[in-house]
């Protein structure tokens, strides 16, 4: 299995992506969350590339992609989805499944509602689309959504610290010794790049638009009956397990797996999730 590390120019930006597997095989597009990048999927890509074609991009402001200043580029989830959409068009991808985690959900569901005919299925791993999934973690962010004053947005800077990044990886994990610390260190180094805090604060504030789109995403599921695999760390204190269970309301073609894991469930349950994803993707082709 060979992974290719590629860059495409999209809307004047260098957009980095990982690609592996046979391009003639069914495609899975992996959309990462905060505060990480496509590196979150390196082990999953290695597990699945023998049978599937995998594409994992870095959004602008993340990973190896361009990171223009927040006052030079509009950091919104609409804009992130625009870039990923254009990347997939550039790659000639017209049929693909989505794997969404955290920020990947609002990016991925935007793609799905724009191009329902392209989406073969959705794997959501702690990728929320329901109010039930929003835990008390979101209360400081809700204040900033209601009033994006300097006081309210500055209060969110605590989410960008090394302690917060470490917590994202380790909360809800029975044995923290299973979590590779290198990823949190790498994520933090990227968060700490000059100007990146302003980028992340802009996205924190814009995230407030996503809950208002949940009804549209749910209607997409009801109308299209898109197959969904909701595989969730049940101990996630950011997106609670009720967010996984809620998918059962809107699509009959749903499989829900609540795992003994936290927010970054791949870090401690990677082989188990890979097996579930492999089975799910195979069934899409039946």
């Amino acid at each position: 299995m060979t992974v290719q590390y590629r860059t495409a120019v999209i809307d004047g930006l260098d957009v980095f992506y990982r690609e592996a597997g046979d391009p003639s095989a069914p495609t899975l597009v992996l959309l990462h969350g905060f505060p990480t990048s496509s590196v979150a999927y390196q082990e999953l890509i290695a597990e699945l590339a023998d049978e599937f074609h995998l594409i994992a991009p870095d959004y602008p402001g993340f990973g190896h992609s361009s990171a223009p200043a927040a006052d030079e580029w509009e950091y919104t989830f609409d804009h992130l989805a625009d870039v990923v959409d254009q990347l997939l068009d550039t790659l000639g991808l017209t049929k693909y499944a989505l794997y969404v985690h955290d920020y990947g959900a609002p990016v991925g569901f935007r793609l799905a509602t724009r191009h329902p005919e392209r989406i073969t299925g959705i794997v959501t791993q702690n990728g929320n689309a329901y109010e039930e999934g929003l835990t008390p973690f979101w209360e400081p962010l809700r204040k900033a959504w209601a009033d994006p004053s300097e006081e309210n947005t500055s209060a969110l800077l605590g989410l960008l610290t090394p302690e917060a990044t470490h917590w994202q990886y380790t909360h809800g994990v029975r044995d923290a010794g299973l979590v590779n610390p290198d990823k949190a260190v790498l994520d933090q180094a990227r968060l700490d790049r000059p100007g990146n805090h302003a980028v992340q604060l802009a996205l924190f504030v814009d995230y407030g638009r996503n809950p208002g789109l949940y009804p549209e995403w749910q209607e997409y599921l009801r109308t299209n009956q898109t197959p969904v695999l909701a595989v969730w760390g049940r101990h996630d204190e950011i997106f609670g397990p009720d967010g996984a269970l809620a998918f059962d309301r809107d699509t009959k073609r749903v499989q829900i797996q609540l795992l003994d894991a936290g927010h970054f469930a791949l870090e401690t349950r990677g082989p188990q999730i890979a097996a579930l994803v492999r089975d799910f993707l195979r069934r899409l082709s039946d």
Side-chain angles (χ1 to χ4, degrees):
M1 191 281 296
T2 300
V3 179
Q4 298 287 331
Y5 304 97
R6 304 182 186 277
T7 300
V9 178
I10 305 296
D11 196 23
L13 302 178
D14 289 335
V15 177
F16 173 87
Y17 63 98
R18 299 164 195 260
E19 181 173 14
D22 183 349
S24 67
T27 296
L28 178 65
V29 176
L30 302 118
L31 300 175
H32 69 80
F34 166 85
T36 188
S37 66
S38 61
V39 72
Y41 294 122
Q42 62 182 6
E43 293 88 0
L44 186 62
I45 289 170
E47 290 272 3
L48 297 176
D50 62 320
E51 190 172 350
F52 304 103
H53 178 224
L54 300 124
I55 298 287
D58 291 350
Y59 313 135
F62 294 80
H64 296 289
S65 290
S66 295
D71 58 358
E72 296 176 354
W73 199 79
E74 185 182 19
Y75 284 93
T76 66
F77 285 88
D78 282 344
H79 213 177
L80 297 185
D82 290 344
V83 169
V84 174
D85 200 2
Q86 291 179 56
L87 172 66
L88 299 181
D89 281 347
T90 297
L91 298 178
L93 296 177
T94 58
K95 284 285 184 184
Y96 47 85
L98 294 171
Y99 186 116
V100 301
H101 173 243
D102 190 84
Y103 277 11
V107 173
F109 275 101
R110 281 170 169 82
L111 298 180
T113 54
R114 291 178 189 181
H115 308 294
E117 74 287 353
R118 298 185 181 183
I119 309 303
T120 60
I122 297 174
V123 180
T124 172
Q125 185 252 295
N126 300 74
N128 196 56
Y130 293 87
E131 281 284 347
E132 291 93 323
L134 297 176
T135 66
F137 169 89
W138 293 91
E139 290 310 312
L141 289 108
R142 288 185 187 275
K143 288 184 64 176
W145 301 343
D147 175 17
S149 64
E150 183 176 354
E151 179 182 0
N152 288 341
T153 55
S154 294
L156 304 179
L157 287 170
L159 299 175
L160 304 176
T161 63
E163 293 77 15
T165 301
H166 177 76
W167 174 83
Q168 285 217 55
Y169 277 93
T170 58
H171 79 268
V173 174
R174 191 179 300 275
D175 181 1
L178 296 174
V179 178
N180 180 353
D182 294 344
K183 288 187 181 177
V185 170
L186 179 60
D187 291 350
Q188 192 62 43
R190 289 168 171 158
L191 284 178
D192 290 341
R193 290 177 294 181
N196 197 258
H197 283 191
V199 167
Q200 302 306 330
L201 289 177
L203 288 170
F204 286 165
V205 171
D206 189 67
Y207 197 97
R209 297 183 59 247
N210 293 324
L213 295 175
Y214 288 173
E216 179 183 350
W217 303 349
Q218 294 157 16
E219 177 61 28
Y220 154 79
L221 292 171
R222 286 193 296 273
T223 299
N224 294 277
Q225 287 300 299
T226 304
V228 171
L229 169 62
V231 56
W232 217 271
R234 66 165 68 242
H235 308 302
D236 188 359
E237 296 181 30
I238 300 173
F239 295 119
D242 286 346
L245 298 172
F247 281 96
D248 188 50
R249 289 208 304 262
D250 293 310
T251 178
K252 297 177 181 178
R253 304 172 69 187
V254 61
Q255 177 185 357
I256 300 170
Q257 293 283 338
L258 300 180
L259 307 181
D260 183 11
H263 185 65
F264 279 98
L266 274 174
E267 297 304 306
T268 56
R269 293 290 180 264
Q272 183 180 3
I273 293 173
L276 289 166
V277 173
R278 185 184 295 275
D279 180 67
F280 176 74
L281 294 177
R282 285 176 174 172
R283 286 188 281 112
L284 295 181
S285 302
D286 291 344

